[in-house]
Amino acid sequence: MKYLALVMALVSFDTFSSMPTNGTKVIISGIIVLSEVHVEGKLIKFKAIKLEQKQCFKADGVISDKEQCLGTLQLVTPNTISLSLGQRYSLVGDAFHWHTAHHHTKVLFSVSSAKKL
């Protein structure tokens, strides 16, 4: 019974722990999608990752004072990394809170490397 309680505590901590937004590299996974948003009468399209499960991201204390829990993140991808729409990937990078008009999700993910799954 003690072992069951320990396992449940570890699973709960891992499941509900928040991802950092301070430049720390993390791994996320999901399907690459093309998202759309209307901004001032214009349709803006951008690549995003639909996460396998909703993920919470810590407040950064600068842009956001509260944790954000999201299922989709806008991607910031260098020209050296190509991501195919509809494909599942594991991405390494860092998350940060939106802060310009070009950011369309509350948290964005800056991709450092990608592995197709």
Side-chain angles (χ1 to χ4, degrees), residues 63-103:
I63 302 298
S64 179
D65 289 331
K66 65 180 184 172
E67 180 178 74
Q68 299 289 333
C69 297
L70 305 167
T72 302
L73 303 176
Q74 181 178 352
L75 298 175
V76 179
T77 311
N79 293 336
T80 56
I81 296 175
S82 179
L83 301 172
S84 301
L85 292 174
Q87 297 296 310
R88 191 168 163 257
Y89 283 87
S90 174
L91 304 178
V92 176
D94 57 279
F96 62 96
H97 290 270
W98 68 272
H99 53 86
T100 76
H102 299 289
H103 300 164

PDB file of all heavy atoms in Angstrom, residues 63-103:
ATOM      1  N   ILE A  63       5.776  39.165 -18.238  1.00  0.00           N
ATOM      2  CA  ILE A  63       4.660  39.279 -19.170  1.00  0.00           C
ATOM      3  C   ILE A  63       3.383  38.734 -18.536  1.00  0.00           C
ATOM      4  O   ILE A  63       2.311  39.291 -18.690  1.00  0.00           O
ATOM      5  CB  ILE A  63       4.950  38.515 -20.482  1.00  0.00           C
ATOM      6  CG1 ILE A  63       6.227  39.028 -21.142  1.00  0.00           C
ATOM      7  CG2 ILE A  63       3.779  38.592 -21.434  1.00  0.00           C
ATOM      8  CD1 ILE A  63       6.198  40.472 -21.562  1.00  0.00           C
ATOM      9  N   SER A  64       3.513  37.638 -17.820  1.00  0.00           N
ATOM     10  CA  SER A  64       2.347  36.987 -17.228  1.00  0.00           C
ATOM     11  C   SER A  64       2.591  36.683 -15.760  1.00  0.00           C
ATOM     12  O   SER A  64       3.635  36.143 -15.397  1.00  0.00           O
ATOM     13  CB  SER A  64       2.033  35.694 -17.980  1.00  0.00           C
ATOM     14  OG  SER A  64       0.920  35.055 -17.409  1.00  0.00           O
ATOM     15  N   ASP A  65       1.615  37.030 -14.946  1.00  0.00           N
ATOM     16  CA  ASP A  65       1.695  36.743 -13.515  1.00  0.00           C
ATOM     17  C   ASP A  65       0.923  35.491 -13.139  1.00  0.00           C
ATOM     18  O   ASP A  65       0.802  35.182 -11.968  1.00  0.00           O
ATOM     19  CB  ASP A  65       1.159  37.930 -12.706  1.00  0.00           C
ATOM     20  CG  ASP A  65       2.092  39.120 -12.762  1.00  0.00           C
ATOM     21  OD1 ASP A  65       3.312  38.915 -12.911  1.00  0.00           O
ATOM     22  OD2 ASP A  65       1.597  40.256 -12.669  1.00  0.00           O
ATOM     23  N   LYS A  66       0.367  34.814 -14.147  1.00  0.00           N
ATOM     24  CA  LYS A  66      -0.358  33.590 -13.830  1.00  0.00           C
ATOM     25  C   LYS A  66       0.039  32.469 -14.773  1.00  0.00           C
ATOM     26  O   LYS A  66       0.442  32.692 -15.912  1.00  0.00           O
ATOM     27  CB  LYS A  66      -1.865  33.813 -13.862  1.00  0.00           C
ATOM     28  CG  LYS A  66      -2.439  34.163 -15.212  1.00  0.00           C
ATOM     29  CD  LYS A  66      -3.940  34.354 -15.111  1.00  0.00           C
ATOM     30  CE  LYS A  66      -4.515  34.615 -16.494  1.00  0.00           C
ATOM     31  NZ  LYS A  66      -5.952  34.629 -16.483  1.00  0.00           N
ATOM     32  N   GLU A  67      -0.079  31.270 -14.261  1.00  0.00           N
ATOM     33  CA  GLU A  67       0.218  30.070 -15.032  1.00  0.00           C
ATOM     34  C   GLU A  67      -0.768  29.962 -16.195  1.00  0.00           C
ATOM     35  O   GLU A  67      -1.931  30.306 -16.062  1.00  0.00           O
ATOM     36  CB  GLU A  67       0.076  28.870 -14.099  1.00  0.00           C
ATOM     37  CG  GLU A  67       0.337  27.543 -14.728  1.00  0.00           C
ATOM     38  CD  GLU A  67       0.217  26.423 -13.712  1.00  0.00           C
ATOM     39  OE1 GLU A  67      -0.920  26.099 -13.335  1.00  0.00           O
ATOM     40  OE2 GLU A  67       1.254  25.906 -13.294  1.00  0.00           O
ATOM     41  N   GLN A  68      -0.290  29.495 -17.338  1.00  0.00           N
ATOM     42  CA  GLN A  68      -1.128  29.297 -18.518  1.00  0.00           C
ATOM     43  C   GLN A  68      -1.175  27.813 -18.851  1.00  0.00           C
ATOM     44  O   GLN A  68      -0.128  27.185 -18.996  1.00  0.00           O
ATOM     45  CB  GLN A  68      -0.554  30.058 -19.725  1.00  0.00           C
ATOM     46  CG  GLN A  68      -0.476  31.551 -19.547  1.00  0.00           C
ATOM     47  CD  GLN A  68      -1.838  32.219 -19.550  1.00  0.00           C
ATOM     48  OE1 GLN A  68      -2.793  31.726 -20.147  1.00  0.00           O
ATOM     49  NE2 GLN A  68      -1.926  33.333 -18.858  1.00  0.00           N
ATOM     50  N   CYS A  69      -2.364  27.249 -18.959  1.00  0.00           N
ATOM     51  CA  CYS A  69      -2.521  25.843 -19.333  1.00  0.00           C
ATOM     52  C   CYS A  69      -3.130  25.789 -20.726  1.00  0.00           C
ATOM     53  O   CYS A  69      -4.227  26.303 -20.955  1.00  0.00           O
ATOM     54  CB  CYS A  69      -3.403  25.113 -18.322  1.00  0.00           C
ATOM     55  SG  CYS A  69      -2.672  25.075 -16.678  1.00  0.00           S
ATOM     56  N   LEU A  70      -2.383  25.203 -21.667  1.00  0.00           N
ATOM     57  CA  LEU A  70      -2.755  25.246 -23.084  1.00  0.00           C
ATOM     58  C   LEU A  70      -2.621  23.882 -23.744  1.00  0.00           C
ATOM     59  O   LEU A  70      -1.827  23.055 -23.320  1.00  0.00           O
ATOM     60  CB  LEU A  70      -1.849  26.233 -23.826  1.00  0.00           C
ATOM     61  CG  LEU A  70      -1.800  27.646 -23.282  1.00  0.00           C
ATOM     62  CD1 LEU A  70      -0.655  28.410 -23.899  1.00  0.00           C
ATOM     63  CD2 LEU A  70      -3.112  28.358 -23.543  1.00  0.00           C
ATOM     64  N   GLY A  71      -3.357  23.702 -24.841  1.00  0.00           N
ATOM     65  CA  GLY A  71      -3.271  22.494 -25.630  1.00  0.00           C
ATOM     66  C   GLY A  71      -2.556  22.715 -26.945  1.00  0.00           C
ATOM     67  O   GLY A  71      -2.156  21.768 -27.622  1.00  0.00           O
ATOM     68  N   THR A  72      -2.376  23.995 -27.331  1.00  0.00           N
ATOM     69  CA  THR A  72      -1.716  24.338 -28.593  1.00  0.00           C
ATOM     70  C   THR A  72      -0.764  25.503 -28.357  1.00  0.00           C
ATOM     71  O   THR A  72      -1.114  26.456 -27.666  1.00  0.00           O
ATOM     72  CB  THR A  72      -2.758  24.739 -29.659  1.00  0.00           C
ATOM     73  OG1 THR A  72      -3.683  23.661 -29.838  1.00  0.00           O
ATOM     74  CG2 THR A  72      -2.110  25.051 -30.989  1.00  0.00           C
ATOM     75  N   LEU A  73       0.427  25.416 -28.953  1.00  0.00           N
ATOM     76  CA  LEU A  73       1.431  26.470 -28.830  1.00  0.00           C
ATOM     77  C   LEU A  73       1.890  26.922 -30.204  1.00  0.00           C
ATOM     78  O   LEU A  73       2.153  26.095 -31.082  1.00  0.00           O
ATOM     79  CB  LEU A  73       2.663  25.966 -28.078  1.00  0.00           C
ATOM     80  CG  LEU A  73       2.488  25.402 -26.682  1.00  0.00           C
ATOM     81  CD1 LEU A  73       3.820  24.870 -26.179  1.00  0.00           C
ATOM     82  CD2 LEU A  73       1.954  26.450 -25.752  1.00  0.00           C
ATOM     83  N   GLN A  74       2.012  28.218 -30.389  1.00  0.00           N
ATOM     84  CA  GLN A  74       2.616  28.746 -31.606  1.00  0.00           C
ATOM     85  C   GLN A  74       4.103  28.408 -31.581  1.00  0.00           C
ATOM     86  O   GLN A  74       4.741  28.458 -30.534  1.00  0.00           O
ATOM     87  CB  GLN A  74       2.430  30.259 -31.685  1.00  0.00           C
ATOM     88  CG  GLN A  74       3.004  30.881 -32.946  1.00  0.00           C
ATOM     89  CD  GLN A  74       2.765  32.374 -33.014  1.00  0.00           C
ATOM     90  OE1 GLN A  74       2.050  32.950 -32.196  1.00  0.00           O
ATOM     91  NE2 GLN A  74       3.378  33.009 -33.996  1.00  0.00           N
ATOM     92  N   LEU A  75       4.645  28.056 -32.744  1.00  0.00           N
ATOM     93  CA  LEU A  75       6.052  27.678 -32.843  1.00  0.00           C
ATOM     94  C   LEU A  75       6.895  28.791 -33.437  1.00  0.00           C
ATOM     95  O   LEU A  75       6.476  29.476 -34.372  1.00  0.00           O
ATOM     96  CB  LEU A  75       6.194  26.420 -33.704  1.00  0.00           C
ATOM     97  CG  LEU A  75       5.507  25.168 -33.167  1.00  0.00           C
ATOM     98  CD1 LEU A  75       5.618  24.041 -34.181  1.00  0.00           C
ATOM     99  CD2 LEU A  75       6.092  24.760 -31.830  1.00  0.00           C
ATOM    100  N   VAL A  76       8.068  28.953 -32.888  1.00  0.00           N
ATOM    101  CA  VAL A  76       9.095  29.825 -33.450  1.00  0.00           C
ATOM    102  C   VAL A  76      10.202  28.879 -33.882  1.00  0.00           C
ATOM    103  O   VAL A  76      10.869  28.263 -33.055  1.00  0.00           O
ATOM    104  CB  VAL A  76       9.603  30.837 -32.399  1.00  0.00           C
ATOM    105  CG1 VAL A  76      10.692  31.706 -32.995  1.00  0.00           C
ATOM    106  CG2 VAL A  76       8.460  31.650 -31.835  1.00  0.00           C
ATOM    107  N   THR A  77      10.351  28.737 -35.189  1.00  0.00           N
ATOM    108  CA  THR A  77      11.249  27.715 -35.736  1.00  0.00           C
ATOM    109  C   THR A  77      12.314  28.355 -36.623  1.00  0.00           C
ATOM    110  O   THR A  77      11.981  29.111 -37.532  1.00  0.00           O
ATOM    111  CB  THR A  77      10.433  26.704 -36.578  1.00  0.00           C
ATOM    112  OG1 THR A  77       9.307  26.282 -35.814  1.00  0.00           O
ATOM    113  CG2 THR A  77      11.261  25.510 -36.959  1.00  0.00           C
ATOM    114  N   PRO A  78      13.583  28.042 -36.391  1.00  0.00           N
ATOM    115  CA  PRO A  78      14.632  28.576 -37.269  1.00  0.00           C
ATOM    116  C   PRO A  78      14.529  27.960 -38.664  1.00  0.00           C
ATOM    117  O   PRO A  78      13.948  26.894 -38.843  1.00  0.00           O
ATOM    118  CB  PRO A  78      15.932  28.148 -36.572  1.00  0.00           C
ATOM    119  CG  PRO A  78      15.559  26.997 -35.713  1.00  0.00           C
ATOM    120  CD  PRO A  78      14.117  27.174 -35.344  1.00  0.00           C
ATOM    121  N   ASN A  79      15.099  28.640 -39.640  1.00  0.00           N
ATOM    122  CA  ASN A  79      15.059  28.159 -41.031  1.00  0.00           C
ATOM    123  C   ASN A  79      15.725  26.804 -41.212  1.00  0.00           C
ATOM    124  O   ASN A  79      15.465  26.111 -42.190  1.00  0.00           O
ATOM    125  CB  ASN A  79      15.715  29.181 -41.965  1.00  0.00           C
ATOM    126  CG  ASN A  79      14.918  30.456 -42.047  1.00  0.00           C
ATOM    127  OD1 ASN A  79      13.710  30.462 -41.797  1.00  0.00           O
ATOM    128  ND2 ASN A  79      15.575  31.552 -42.375  1.00  0.00           N
ATOM    129  N   THR A  80      16.580  26.415 -40.291  1.00  0.00           N
ATOM    130  CA  THR A  80      17.309  25.153 -40.407  1.00  0.00           C
ATOM    131  C   THR A  80      16.475  23.943 -39.987  1.00  0.00           C
ATOM    132  O   THR A  80      16.891  22.807 -40.185  1.00  0.00           O
ATOM    133  CB  THR A  80      18.589  25.192 -39.540  1.00  0.00           C
ATOM    134  OG1 THR A  80      18.218  25.503 -38.197  1.00  0.00           O
ATOM    135  CG2 THR A  80      19.563  26.242 -40.064  1.00  0.00           C
ATOM    136  N   ILE A  81      15.302  24.178 -39.423  1.00  0.00           N
ATOM    137  CA  ILE A  81      14.430  23.088 -38.979  1.00  0.00           C
ATOM    138  C   ILE A  81      13.141  23.118 -39.789  1.00  0.00           C
ATOM    139  O   ILE A  81      12.469  24.149 -39.854  1.00  0.00           O
ATOM    140  CB  ILE A  81      14.117  23.191 -37.467  1.00  0.00           C
ATOM    141  CG1 ILE A  81      15.401  23.024 -36.660  1.00  0.00           C
ATOM    142  CG2 ILE A  81      13.072  22.154 -37.056  1.00  0.00           C
ATOM    143  CD1 ILE A  81      15.225  23.229 -35.170  1.00  0.00           C
ATOM    144  N   SER A  82      12.813  21.999 -40.398  1.00  0.00           N
ATOM    145  CA  SER A  82      11.591  21.883 -41.200  1.00  0.00           C
ATOM    146  C   SER A  82      10.616  20.936 -40.494  1.00  0.00           C
ATOM    147  O   SER A  82      10.981  19.813 -40.141  1.00  0.00           O
ATOM    148  CB  SER A  82      11.935  21.342 -42.593  1.00  0.00           C
ATOM    149  OG  SER A  82      10.766  21.205 -43.353  1.00  0.00           O
ATOM    150  N   LEU A  83       9.398  21.410 -40.294  1.00  0.00           N
ATOM    151  CA  LEU A  83       8.364  20.609 -39.645  1.00  0.00           C
ATOM    152  C   LEU A  83       7.213  20.396 -40.623  1.00  0.00           C
ATOM    153  O   LEU A  83       6.705  21.350 -41.193  1.00  0.00           O
ATOM    154  CB  LEU A  83       7.851  21.320 -38.391  1.00  0.00           C
ATOM    155  CG  LEU A  83       8.892  21.623 -37.308  1.00  0.00           C
ATOM    156  CD1 LEU A  83       8.279  22.487 -36.216  1.00  0.00           C
ATOM    157  CD2 LEU A  83       9.445  20.333 -36.735  1.00  0.00           C
ATOM    158  N   SER A  84       6.819  19.146 -40.811  1.00  0.00           N
ATOM    159  CA  SER A  84       5.749  18.801 -41.755  1.00  0.00           C
ATOM    160  C   SER A  84       4.401  18.825 -41.052  1.00  0.00           C
ATOM    161  O   SER A  84       4.232  18.212 -39.993  1.00  0.00           O
ATOM    162  CB  SER A  84       5.988  17.408 -42.337  1.00  0.00           C
ATOM    163  OG  SER A  84       7.230  17.351 -43.000  1.00  0.00           O
ATOM    164  N   LEU A  85       3.441  19.508 -41.675  1.00  0.00           N
ATOM    165  CA  LEU A  85       2.090  19.566 -41.129  1.00  0.00           C
ATOM    166  C   LEU A  85       1.492  18.166 -41.025  1.00  0.00           C
ATOM    167  O   LEU A  85       1.711  17.324 -41.889  1.00  0.00           O
ATOM    168  CB  LEU A  85       1.190  20.434 -42.000  1.00  0.00           C
ATOM    169  CG  LEU A  85       1.508  21.923 -42.015  1.00  0.00           C
ATOM    170  CD1 LEU A  85       0.631  22.636 -43.041  1.00  0.00           C
ATOM    171  CD2 LEU A  85       1.328  22.540 -40.643  1.00  0.00           C
ATOM    172  N   GLY A  86       0.750  17.924 -39.956  1.00  0.00           N
ATOM    173  CA  GLY A  86       0.089  16.647 -39.756  1.00  0.00           C
ATOM    174  C   GLY A  86       0.974  15.555 -39.195  1.00  0.00           C
ATOM    175  O   GLY A  86       0.491  14.468 -38.900  1.00  0.00           O
ATOM    176  N   GLN A  87       2.248  15.830 -39.028  1.00  0.00           N
ATOM    177  CA  GLN A  87       3.186  14.839 -38.506  1.00  0.00           C
ATOM    178  C   GLN A  87       3.396  15.043 -37.008  1.00  0.00           C
ATOM    179  O   GLN A  87       3.320  16.155 -36.504  1.00  0.00           O
ATOM    180  CB  GLN A  87       4.535  14.935 -39.224  1.00  0.00           C
ATOM    181  CG  GLN A  87       4.456  14.631 -40.700  1.00  0.00           C
ATOM    182  CD  GLN A  87       4.042  13.191 -40.955  1.00  0.00           C
ATOM    183  OE1 GLN A  87       4.601  12.266 -40.395  1.00  0.00           O
ATOM    184  NE2 GLN A  87       3.043  13.018 -41.805  1.00  0.00           N
ATOM    185  N   ARG A  88       3.693  13.953 -36.322  1.00  0.00           N
ATOM    186  CA  ARG A  88       3.933  13.976 -34.885  1.00  0.00           C
ATOM    187  C   ARG A  88       5.427  14.167 -34.634  1.00  0.00           C
ATOM    188  O   ARG A  88       6.253  13.498 -35.253  1.00  0.00           O
ATOM    189  CB  ARG A  88       3.450  12.666 -34.272  1.00  0.00           C
ATOM    190  CG  ARG A  88       3.390  12.659 -32.792  1.00  0.00           C
ATOM    191  CD  ARG A  88       2.611  11.414 -32.311  1.00  0.00           C
ATOM    192  NE  ARG A  88       2.906  11.204 -30.920  1.00  0.00           N
ATOM    193  CZ  ARG A  88       3.732  10.284 -30.449  1.00  0.00           C
ATOM    194  NH1 ARG A  88       4.337   9.448 -31.255  1.00  0.00           N
ATOM    195  NH2 ARG A  88       3.953  10.182 -29.168  1.00  0.00           N
ATOM    196  N   TYR A  89       5.759  15.089 -33.728  1.00  0.00           N
ATOM    197  CA  TYR A  89       7.153  15.411 -33.418  1.00  0.00           C
ATOM    198  C   TYR A  89       7.380  15.500 -31.925  1.00  0.00           C
ATOM    199  O   TYR A  89       6.464  15.812 -31.156  1.00  0.00           O
ATOM    200  CB  TYR A  89       7.531  16.786 -33.998  1.00  0.00           C
ATOM    201  CG  TYR A  89       7.778  16.804 -35.474  1.00  0.00           C
ATOM    202  CD1 TYR A  89       6.726  16.996 -36.363  1.00  0.00           C
ATOM    203  CD2 TYR A  89       9.054  16.642 -35.992  1.00  0.00           C
ATOM    204  CE1 TYR A  89       6.941  17.023 -37.734  1.00  0.00           C
ATOM    205  CE2 TYR A  89       9.278  16.678 -37.360  1.00  0.00           C
ATOM    206  CZ  TYR A  89       8.217  16.866 -38.217  1.00  0.00           C
ATOM    207  OH  TYR A  89       8.444  16.896 -39.568  1.00  0.00           O
ATOM    208  N   SER A  90       8.621  15.277 -31.545  1.00  0.00           N
ATOM    209  CA  SER A  90       9.126  15.605 -30.222  1.00  0.00           C
ATOM    210  C   SER A  90      10.030  16.819 -30.437  1.00  0.00           C
ATOM    211  O   SER A  90      10.959  16.756 -31.251  1.00  0.00           O
ATOM    212  CB  SER A  90       9.916  14.434 -29.651  1.00  0.00           C
ATOM    213  OG  SER A  90      10.516  14.792 -28.433  1.00  0.00           O
ATOM    214  N   LEU A  91       9.747  17.906 -29.740  1.00  0.00           N
ATOM    215  CA  LEU A  91      10.498  19.142 -29.928  1.00  0.00           C
ATOM    216  C   LEU A  91      11.260  19.503 -28.657  1.00  0.00           C
ATOM    217  O   LEU A  91      10.721  19.398 -27.554  1.00  0.00           O
ATOM    218  CB  LEU A  91       9.553  20.296 -30.266  1.00  0.00           C
ATOM    219  CG  LEU A  91       8.644  20.120 -31.477  1.00  0.00           C
ATOM    220  CD1 LEU A  91       7.739  21.336 -31.629  1.00  0.00           C
ATOM    221  CD2 LEU A  91       9.451  19.887 -32.744  1.00  0.00           C
ATOM    222  N   VAL A  92      12.497  19.937 -28.834  1.00  0.00           N
ATOM    223  CA  VAL A  92      13.296  20.461 -27.734  1.00  0.00           C
ATOM    224  C   VAL A  92      13.386  21.963 -27.943  1.00  0.00           C
ATOM    225  O   VAL A  92      13.612  22.431 -29.065  1.00  0.00           O
ATOM    226  CB  VAL A  92      14.717  19.847 -27.712  1.00  0.00           C
ATOM    227  CG1 VAL A  92      15.564  20.488 -26.625  1.00  0.00           C
ATOM    228  CG2 VAL A  92      14.649  18.343 -27.534  1.00  0.00           C
ATOM    229  N   GLY A  93      13.199  22.709 -26.881  1.00  0.00           N
ATOM    230  CA  GLY A  93      13.278  24.161 -26.984  1.00  0.00           C
ATOM    231  C   GLY A  93      12.868  24.809 -25.683  1.00  0.00           C
ATOM    232  O   GLY A  93      12.884  24.173 -24.633  1.00  0.00           O
ATOM    233  N   ASP A  94      12.495  26.092 -25.770  1.00  0.00           N
ATOM    234  CA  ASP A  94      12.056  26.768 -24.556  1.00  0.00           C
ATOM    235  C   ASP A  94      10.760  27.527 -24.817  1.00  0.00           C
ATOM    236  O   ASP A  94      10.523  28.028 -25.911  1.00  0.00           O
ATOM    237  CB  ASP A  94      13.147  27.681 -23.986  1.00  0.00           C
ATOM    238  CG  ASP A  94      13.614  28.724 -24.964  1.00  0.00           C
ATOM    239  OD1 ASP A  94      14.452  28.397 -25.829  1.00  0.00           O
ATOM    240  OD2 ASP A  94      13.147  29.866 -24.864  1.00  0.00           O
ATOM    241  N   ALA A  95       9.947  27.555 -23.774  1.00  0.00           N
ATOM    242  CA  ALA A  95       8.648  28.218 -23.844  1.00  0.00           C
ATOM    243  C   ALA A  95       8.772  29.637 -23.296  1.00  0.00           C
ATOM    244  O   ALA A  95       9.569  29.900 -22.401  1.00  0.00           O
ATOM    245  CB  ALA A  95       7.629  27.427 -23.026  1.00  0.00           C
ATOM    246  N   PHE A  96       7.975  30.536 -23.871  1.00  0.00           N
ATOM    247  CA  PHE A  96       7.939  31.906 -23.343  1.00  0.00           C
ATOM    248  C   PHE A  96       6.556  32.497 -23.566  1.00  0.00           C
ATOM    249  O   PHE A  96       5.832  32.103 -24.474  1.00  0.00           O
ATOM    250  CB  PHE A  96       9.037  32.781 -23.965  1.00  0.00           C
ATOM    251  CG  PHE A  96       8.941  32.956 -25.455  1.00  0.00           C
ATOM    252  CD1 PHE A  96       8.329  34.074 -26.006  1.00  0.00           C
ATOM    253  CD2 PHE A  96       9.474  32.008 -26.316  1.00  0.00           C
ATOM    254  CE1 PHE A  96       8.254  34.252 -27.390  1.00  0.00           C
ATOM    255  CE2 PHE A  96       9.406  32.159 -27.697  1.00  0.00           C
ATOM    256  CZ  PHE A  96       8.785  33.289 -28.228  1.00  0.00           C
ATOM    257  N   HIS A  97       6.184  33.437 -22.704  1.00  0.00           N
ATOM    258  CA  HIS A  97       4.872  34.077 -22.802  1.00  0.00           C
ATOM    259  C   HIS A  97       4.860  35.080 -23.954  1.00  0.00           C
ATOM    260  O   HIS A  97       5.873  35.703 -24.252  1.00  0.00           O
ATOM    261  CB  HIS A  97       4.528  34.763 -21.477  1.00  0.00           C
ATOM    262  CG  HIS A  97       4.259  33.787 -20.379  1.00  0.00           C
ATOM    263  ND1 HIS A  97       3.005  33.302 -20.118  1.00  0.00           N
ATOM    264  CD2 HIS A  97       5.083  33.168 -19.507  1.00  0.00           C
ATOM    265  CE1 HIS A  97       3.058  32.448 -19.116  1.00  0.00           C
ATOM    266  NE2 HIS A  97       4.319  32.334 -18.728  1.00  0.00           N
ATOM    267  N   TRP A  98       3.694  35.220 -24.590  1.00  0.00           N
ATOM    268  CA  TRP A  98       3.552  36.124 -25.723  1.00  0.00           C
ATOM    269  C   TRP A  98       3.817  37.562 -25.292  1.00  0.00           C
ATOM    270  O   TRP A  98       3.570  37.931 -24.159  1.00  0.00           O
ATOM    271  CB  TRP A  98       2.164  36.010 -26.341  1.00  0.00           C
ATOM    272  CG  TRP A  98       1.069  36.536 -25.448  1.00  0.00           C
ATOM    273  CD1 TRP A  98       0.393  35.847 -24.495  1.00  0.00           C
ATOM    274  CD2 TRP A  98       0.543  37.857 -25.426  1.00  0.00           C
ATOM    275  NE1 TRP A  98      -0.520  36.647 -23.876  1.00  0.00           N
ATOM    276  CE2 TRP A  98      -0.449  37.895 -24.430  1.00  0.00           C
ATOM    277  CE3 TRP A  98       0.804  39.013 -26.146  1.00  0.00           C
ATOM    278  CZ2 TRP A  98      -1.176  39.039 -24.136  1.00  0.00           C
ATOM    279  CZ3 TRP A  98       0.079  40.153 -25.855  1.00  0.00           C
ATOM    280  CH2 TRP A  98      -0.889  40.159 -24.864  1.00  0.00           C
ATOM    281  N   HIS A  99       4.345  38.361 -26.220  1.00  0.00           N
ATOM    282  CA  HIS A  99       4.559  39.759 -25.877  1.00  0.00           C
ATOM    283  C   HIS A  99       4.538  40.697 -27.073  1.00  0.00           C
ATOM    284  O   HIS A  99       4.794  41.885 -26.921  1.00  0.00           O
ATOM    285  CB  HIS A  99       5.841  39.951 -25.062  1.00  0.00           C
ATOM    286  CG  HIS A  99       7.071  39.369 -25.671  1.00  0.00           C
ATOM    287  ND1 HIS A  99       7.843  40.014 -26.581  1.00  0.00           N
ATOM    288  CD2 HIS A  99       7.637  38.161 -25.479  1.00  0.00           C
ATOM    289  CE1 HIS A  99       8.851  39.253 -26.936  1.00  0.00           C
ATOM    290  NE2 HIS A  99       8.750  38.115 -26.277  1.00  0.00           N
ATOM    291  N   THR A 100       4.220  40.201 -28.274  1.00  0.00           N
ATOM    292  CA  THR A 100       4.082  41.109 -29.420  1.00  0.00           C
ATOM    293  C   THR A 100       2.819  40.753 -30.198  1.00  0.00           C
ATOM    294  O   THR A 100       2.200  39.718 -29.969  1.00  0.00           O
ATOM    295  CB  THR A 100       5.281  41.019 -30.397  1.00  0.00           C
ATOM    296  OG1 THR A 100       5.163  39.819 -31.165  1.00  0.00           O
ATOM    297  CG2 THR A 100       6.612  41.062 -29.671  1.00  0.00           C
ATOM    298  N   ALA A 101       2.466  41.596 -31.141  1.00  0.00           N
ATOM    299  CA  ALA A 101       1.285  41.370 -31.970  1.00  0.00           C
ATOM    300  C   ALA A 101       1.451  40.161 -32.894  1.00  0.00           C
ATOM    301  O   ALA A 101       0.473  39.653 -33.428  1.00  0.00           O
ATOM    302  CB  ALA A 101       0.990  42.612 -32.800  1.00  0.00           C
ATOM    303  N   HIS A 102       2.671  39.675 -33.073  1.00  0.00           N
ATOM    304  CA  HIS A 102       2.923  38.510 -33.924  1.00  0.00           C
ATOM    305  C   HIS A 102       2.768  37.201 -33.164  1.00  0.00           C
ATOM    306  O   HIS A 102       2.888  36.134 -33.744  1.00  0.00           O
ATOM    307  CB  HIS A 102       4.326  38.578 -34.533  1.00  0.00           C
ATOM    308  CG  HIS A 102       4.531  39.781 -35.387  1.00  0.00           C
ATOM    309  ND1 HIS A 102       3.931  39.940 -36.613  1.00  0.00           N
ATOM    310  CD2 HIS A 102       5.247  40.910 -35.167  1.00  0.00           C
ATOM    311  CE1 HIS A 102       4.278  41.111 -37.118  1.00  0.00           C
ATOM    312  NE2 HIS A 102       5.071  41.717 -36.264  1.00  0.00           N
ATOM    313  N   HIS A 103       2.516  37.294 -31.886  1.00  0.00           N
ATOM    314  CA  HIS A 103       2.337  36.107 -31.050  1.00  0.00           C
ATOM    315  C   HIS A 103       0.845  35.851 -30.880  1.00  0.00           C
ATOM    316  O   HIS A 103       0.116  36.725 -30.431  1.00  0.00           O
ATOM    317  CB  HIS A 103       3.006  36.305 -29.694  1.00  0.00           C
ATOM    318  CG  HIS A 103       4.480  36.547 -29.797  1.00  0.00           C
ATOM    319  ND1 HIS A 103       5.220  37.053 -28.767  1.00  0.00           N
ATOM    320  CD2 HIS A 103       5.345  36.342 -30.817  1.00  0.00           C
ATOM    321  CE1 HIS A 103       6.489  37.148 -29.135  1.00  0.00           C
ATOM    322  NE2 HIS A 103       6.587  36.733 -30.377  1.00  0.00           N
TER     323      HIS A 103
END
